[in-house]
Amino acid sequence: MATAAAFALGACSGGGATNTTSTGGGGGGGNSGYTFAMITHETPGDTFWDRIKAGANQAAKDTGSTLKYSADPDAAKQAVLIQNAIDSKVDGIATTLVTPDALIPTIKKAVAAGIPVDTFNSGLDFFEQAGALTHFASNEKLAGQAAGKRAAAAGATKILCTIQQSGSVALEDRCAGVKDSFPNTENLQVNGADDAAVTTAIQAKLTEDKSINWIVTLGAPQALDSIKAAQGAGRSDVKIGTFDTNPDAAQAVSDGKIQWFIDQQPYLQGYMAITQLYLYKKNGNVLGGGQAVLTGPSFVDKTNIAQVMPFIKNNTR
């Protein structure tokens, strides 16, 4: 856990439809003439991605570039969005790598076409295989290990680790890390696109298995669902920790309803993914020296929530 905390300040979502936005350049960086595409596996309504987009939009403004953002949680459709970016001859592509097998072949097409690609958020172990310049993310397995140790120190007897999107390598790494450091961990697959269904599934599990006294969720919405589920099951003994945050989850940490969240700095991921493409096109610069650039993990709890709360409310943390 001490190692995890030493990193710069814990990805991911699941289910929904494609969305596309475009942001014009000509900001603080003048007008670079570059157009960059950002493509993610965002689930509509998941506020985690608001921070990714805020960072990317600010980077486009700062570099005077045009940003085209699109997303789909379906891997095949995300690959189509990457192909669309290739066909439109953008100057660079930043993409998540949540389902590597489905996305790497198309990413390689971009690289072969002379379009620089960097990856972020998901796919830490696959960006080199994809041919990406670098990767901006948290170390998800390390974060999971730290979460398991922290729950153990707080008296965990059995942990329920919820996964809200099937097939996501980042989410699987998180729960695998928890289980590494706390073997009495059970995974529960939930539908991250349906909060009511998440609450029902967790409540049923807590009612059925009284030995579960900790829940580790992999996204802030599921942490808030877990609060309702524990109340519904009459389980005041259950504690909750989560990866990632939003204003409501941050407030729940401040109120003691959630013990902590693991920060991976999504704003920074979005900002650096676009800035890296700009610097590569302008100067040939590449960050990381062949390694991923880590943006997390670190823990935020009652002892330091007040320090980061203003940035969370400002959508920059």
Side-chain angles (χ1 to χ4, degrees):
M1 185 171 68
T3 303
F7 283 113
L9 292 193
C12 303
S13 309
T18 302
N19 67 81
T20 306
T21 58
S22 182
T23 303
N31 189 348
S32 71
Y34 298 137
T35 296
F36 300 124
M38 174 172 277
I39 300 146
T40 78
H41 59 282
E42 174 188 354
T43 299
D46 187 340
T47 55
F48 172 86
W49 298 97
D50 294 345
R51 289 163 174 73
I52 294 280
K53 288 183 282 189
N57 284 329
Q58 188 62 51
K61 181 179 179 181
D62 289 349
T63 60
S65 304
T66 296
L67 174 68
K68 292 185 176 181
Y69 178 92
S70 60
D72 201 296
D74 181 277
K77 293 177 181 177
Q78 186 181 352
V80 169
L81 293 175
I82 296 171
Q83 184 61 56
N84 291 345
I86 297 170
D87 295 341
S88 66
K89 295 181 170 56
V90 296
D91 296 295
I93 295 173
T95 183
T96 57
L97 201 50
V98 66
T99 45
D101 290 345
L103 301 178
I104 285 176
T106 311
I107 292 171
K108 285 185 173 180
K109 289 181 183 179
V111 175
I115 299 173
V117 177
D118 62 26
T119 54
F120 65 98
N121 182 258
S122 301
L124 180 70
D125 296 326
F126 298 92
F127 79 95
E128 290 177 286
Q129 181 184 338
L133 297 172
T134 191
H135 184 82
F136 301 95
S138 177
N139 187 316
E140 305 291 11
K141 194 162 188 180
L142 175 63
Q145 290 168 344
K149 291 176 182 177
R150 191 154 176 147
T157 55
K158 184 175 182 179
I159 297 174
L160 184 68
C161 190
T162 65
I163 301 178
Q164 72 267 26
Q165 182 183 13
S166 60
S168 167
V169 291
L171 298 185
E172 290 169 358
D173 280 350
R174 289 176 174 183
C175 280
V178 174
K179 193 173 182 67
D180 273 355
S181 58
F182 196 89
N184 196 21
T185 295
E186 180 178 347
N187 292 356
L188 178 67
Q189 187 73 49
V190 296
N191 179 5
D194 187 341
D195 284 319
V198 173
T199 300
T200 299
I202 296 172
Q203 182 174 325
K205 196 67 184 174
L206 294 178
T207 301
E208 169 197 332
D209 189 345
K210 304 294 186 184
S211 67
I212 296 170
N213 70 342
W214 261 86
I215 303 171
V216 175
T217 65
L218 308 186
Q222 293 74 47
L224 296 168
D225 296 337
S226 296
I227 295 173
K228 297 176 185 176
Q231 291 171 344
R235 295 292 306 278
S236 60
D237 60 314
V238 173
K239 293 182 178 180
I240 300 162
T242 189
F243 285 73
D244 304 326
T245 197
N246 61 27
D248 289 338
Q251 187 60 51
V253 170
S254 183
D255 295 340
K257 296 177 181 178
I258 295 174
Q259 302 304 302
W260 38 257
F261 70 83
I262 299 175
D263 187 17
Q264 63 170 311
Q265 300 188 103
Y267 179 93
L268 187 60
Q269 292 176 10
Y271 188 90
M272 293 309 302
I274 297 304
T275 301
Q276 167 64 91
L277 293 174
Y278 169 79
L279 290 173
Y280 183 78
K281 291 293 292 184
K282 185 174 177 61
N283 303 322
N285 300 136
V286 179
L287 290 165
Q291 302 296 313
V293 178
L294 295 183
T295 62
S298 70
F299 282 90
V300 177
D301 56 21
K302 251 192 167 181
T303 66
N304 58 353
I305 184 65
Q307 298 169 22
V308 299
M309 184 70 87
F311 304 115
I312 293 169
K313 290 181 177 179
N314 197 41
N315 209 34
T316 57
R317 181 67 175 272

